[in-house]
Amino acid sequence: MDRSRPSLRRKLLWWLLLPQLVLWATGGLLAYRIALSYAEKAIDQSLTQSVRALARQVKPIGSGLLIDFPRAAQDVLEQDPDDRISYTVSSPPGQFLLGNQRLPQPEGEQPVRSVPLHYTATLDGRALRMVALDLDYGDGDVPQVLRVQVGKGMAEQQRIARELIADMLAPLLVLGALLSVLVYGGVRRGLAPLTRLTAQLENRSVNALQPIAATEAPQEVHALVTALNDLLRAVERSVLQEKRFINDAAHQLRTPLAGLISQVESAQQETQDPALVQRLDKVHRGAVRSAHLVHQLLTLARSESQVLRAPLDLAALAREVAREWTPRALAAGMDLGYEGLDRLPVSADALQLREALANLIDNALRYTPAGTSITLRVGQDPDGSAVLVVEDTGPGLRADDMDHVFQRFWRGSELPGGCGLGLAIVQEIARRHGGDARVEQIAPQGLRVEIRIR
C-alpha cells in the first residue's frame, strides 16, 4: 500500500476520533469551570458563616462597641499559614478597628445592610475570596454602620476543583479510550470487505479473469464488485477475440509464407540465370524475414495474453533448449553450453520460457562473430527469484544503446534477418512471470541478458 496516498481508514478514524477528542477537551474545560463554581459556592458559604459568627462577637454598647473576640477564635481563623482566613472590622466602613487593616474594600457594588456581599480581591499578589457584611448599631439619634470582612485564599478552591476534575475526568478518559478502541474496531470491521477484496485481487494472476465473489460484502462493496466483474467480462471477451485473431493470423500468414519460401527455393534450384538467381535470392530473404516477423509478432501477442503456469524444472528446460540449438551453434562456429544448477523447480509457462531462451540464443548466434562462446545459466537469488541467463563473448552493445534494447522494433545492428522484437518478447514474458529482464555489458567484452521470474 502506498502510504503517501489518502487512506479511507485514516480518514474515517480522523473524522470520528478528532471530534471525540475536541468534545472531551471541551467537556473537561466545562467540567473544570463547573468544579470551580461549586468550590466557590462552598467557600462562599463557609465565609458567610464565618462573617456572621464574627459579627455576633461585636456587641453595641450605647454609642460604642464591645468586641468579644478571644484569642482562641483568632488562632482558629489563622491556623493555616498558607491559606488562612483574614478578617477586619471597621466602623464606619473603612475605619479600621480590628484584624488585618490591609484587607481590600469592595469596589463598585457596596454591601446591602445585613446581606453578605461576596467578591474577589488581591492582596500581596495572592487572590482572595472575600465577603463583606454591613450592620447597623447605635441608638436612634446617632445611627452607625459596622462592616465585618472575612477573606480566604483561592488555594482551597483550586484544590477542591482539581479533586473534582480528577474524579470526573478519570472515568471520562477511560470511557474515551474505550470508545476510541470501539471506533477503531468498528472501522476496521466495516472496511474488512474492502480488505478482503483487495487481497483477492492482489493474489490472483494477472490473466485471471474469473468473476470476483463478494457474497458477504455490504451493498456498497457489491456495487464495486459488480462494476469490476463487468469490466473483467469485457476484458475476457477482448482476450478471446484476440486469441481467435492470433490463431486465424497464424493460419492465414504462415501457410502462404511457407509455400512462397518453398517455391522460391525450388525456383532457385531450377534456374541457372545469374540475374534471376539474384532476384530469387532477394525474394527468399524477404520471405524468410517476413515469416520470422510473423512468428515474432504472434509470439509477442501470445506473451501478452494468458500465462499458463505449471510446475517445471527450470534447469532441465534450459539444458533441453541448449541441446536443441547446439547444431546451429556448431554450424555457425560457436560454442554453446550450459552452466548452473542441476535442478530448480519453479511454477512457470514452459512454452513461453522456451520462446524467451530461443530469442536470446538466436540473437547471440545472429549478431556475434564465429568463435563466440554462448552460455546458458540457471540460478536462484536469495529472495527466491529464479534467474535465467544467456551470456556471450561477442562485441556487445554501445553504451548509448542500452536504454533502447527492450523497445519494440528497435535494432542494434543493421545485419539482415532481425525484426527488433526479440528482446521486447523476452521482457514481456519476464513481466508476465512477475519478474523483469535486464541487459548488461560484460568486461572485457560480451553481453549478459538476465530473466528473473517469481
Side-chain angles (χ1 to χ4, degrees):
M1 183 184 294
D2 189 354
R3 300 288 181 180
S4 63
R5 296 183 178 180
S7 167
L8 180 59
R9 178 180 297 177
R10 285 198 295 268
K11 282 187 175 182
L12 288 174
L13 290 175
W14 175 262
W15 287 109
L16 289 174
L17 295 180
L18 179 62
Q20 174 187 328
L21 179 61
V22 172
L23 291 176
W24 188 90
T26 304
L29 179 61
L30 292 176
Y32 182 70
R33 298 298 298 271
I34 293 173
L36 281 177
S37 175
Y38 279 107
E40 185 177 283
K41 290 180 179 179
I43 293 176
D44 287 349
Q45 290 178 358
S46 174
L47 290 175
T48 300
Q49 293 175 0
S50 298
V51 76
R52 292 188 182 279
L54 182 58
R56 286 193 294 269
Q57 304 304 317
V58 181
K59 302 174 182 178
I61 299 178
S63 297
L65 293 170
L66 172 62
I67 301 177
D68 184 12
F69 197 50
R71 183 64 187 176
Q74 298 182 38
D75 292 341
V76 170
L77 289 176
E78 301 178 356
Q79 63 182 346
D80 187 355
D82 295 328
D83 196 25
R84 64 187 179 183
I85 297 177
S86 301
Y87 62 92
T88 185
V89 179
S90 58
S91 179
Q95 297 295 322
F96 174 74
L97 292 179
L98 178 69
N100 186 348
Q101 62 178 345
R102 298 173 59 208
L103 284 182
Q105 298 295 323
E107 298 180 0
E109 183 182 2
Q110 296 298 315
V112 179
R113 297 292 191 274
S114 301
V115 178
L117 173 66
H118 297 90
Y119 62 98
T120 302
T122 303
L123 178 63
D124 297 331
R126 185 166 64 100
L128 295 176
R129 185 64 180 169
M130 297 193 62
V131 61
L133 178 64
D134 286 358
L135 300 172
D136 294 328
Y137 74 95
D139 53 25
D141 297 333
V142 186
Q144 299 185 57
V145 178
L146 171 71
R147 174 170 292 179
V148 181
Q149 294 172 265
V150 177
K152 183 177 177 61
M154 305 289 285
E156 181 68 13
Q157 177 192 15
Q158 294 175 356
R159 182 187 65 79
I160 294 174
R162 286 195 298 268
E163 290 179 356
L164 288 174
I165 286 296
D167 293 340
M168 294 172 61
L169 292 189
L172 288 178
L173 182 60
V174 173
L175 291 176
L178 180 60
L179 180 60
S180 300
V181 173
L182 292 176
V183 167
Y184 179 81
V187 169
R188 185 172 182 178
R189 183 177 179 84
L191 295 179
L194 286 178
T195 304
R196 290 194 295 267
L197 177 61
T198 302
Q200 187 177 355
L201 290 174
E202 288 178 346
N203 294 332
R204 64 168 44 197
S205 169
V206 293
N207 294 293
L209 301 177
Q210 295 82 9
I212 302 170
T215 55
E216 299 179 358
Q219 186 64 37
E220 293 79 5
V221 178
H222 269 291
L224 175 62
V225 171
T226 301
L228 285 176
N229 286 337
D230 291 341
L231 178 61
L232 289 175
R233 281 190 286 268
V235 173
E236 186 176 18
R237 287 194 298 268
S238 176
V239 170
L240 291 176
Q241 291 175 359
E242 180 182 349
K243 288 182 179 179
R244 285 195 295 269
F245 169 77
I246 290 173
N247 292 331
D248 293 343
H251 177 73
Q252 296 295 329
L253 293 176
R254 283 180 171 177
T255 303
L257 286 173
L260 176 61
I261 292 172
S262 176
Q263 292 297 325
V264 171
E265 290 175 350
S266 299
Q268 285 177 323
Q269 295 174 0
E270 295 174 358
T271 184
Q272 301 296 327
D273 185 355
L276 183 57
V277 169
Q278 187 177 8
R279 293 191 186 95
L280 290 173
D281 185 58
K282 291 181 180 181
V283 173
H284 183 267
R285 288 198 302 269
V288 170
R289 187 176 184 279
S290 297
H292 180 65
L293 177 60
V294 169
H295 173 75
Q296 293 288 69
L297 287 172
L298 295 177
T299 302
L300 182 61
R302 290 194 183 99
S303 69
E304 292 176 342
S305 59
Q306 190 171 9
V307 176
L308 301 176
R309 289 202 175 204
L312 63 91
D313 185 351
L314 190 61
L317 176 67
R319 288 193 295 269
E320 183 179 346
V321 173
R323 284 194 297 268
E324 292 175 356
W325 283 82
T326 297
R328 181 177 166 184
L330 293 176
M334 301 182 189
D335 180 20
L336 174 61
Y338 171 81
E339 295 179 1
L341 300 176
D342 293 332
R343 187 173 182 275
L344 180 58
V346 296
S347 177
D349 190 322
L351 183 61
Q352 290 199 8
L353 290 183
R354 183 185 294 273
E355 187 65 35
L357 287 176
N359 278 322
L360 294 179
I361 297 174
D362 180 68
N363 281 347
L365 295 176
R366 191 183 299 273
Y367 300 116
T368 57
T372 299
S373 295
I374 304 171
T375 306
L376 270 69
R377 289 192 176 90
V378 171
Q380 190 171 24
D381 279 349
D383 63 357
S385 300
V387 182
L388 270 171
V389 177
V390 177
E391 291 181 356
D392 64 67
T393 58
L397 295 171
R398 297 187 300 270
D400 297 339
D401 295 337
M402 298 298 288
D403 295 333
H404 307 286
V405 292
F406 293 116
Q407 293 180 4
R408 297 184 181 184
F409 301 106
W410 180 87
R411 299 184 63 201
S413 173
E414 297 300 328
L415 294 175
C419 57
L421 288 175
L423 290 179
I425 294 172
V426 170
Q427 185 187 53
E428 188 64 35
I429 291 174
R431 288 177 177 175
R432 289 286 168 171
H433 284 79
D436 59 358
R438 303 175 185 174
V439 176
E440 60 181 8
Q441 294 285 111
I442 302 175
Q445 71 174 25
L447 191 69
R448 171 188 172 96
V449 183
E450 183 179 284
I451 304 174
R452 293 177 180 270
I453 61 176
R454 294 182 175 88

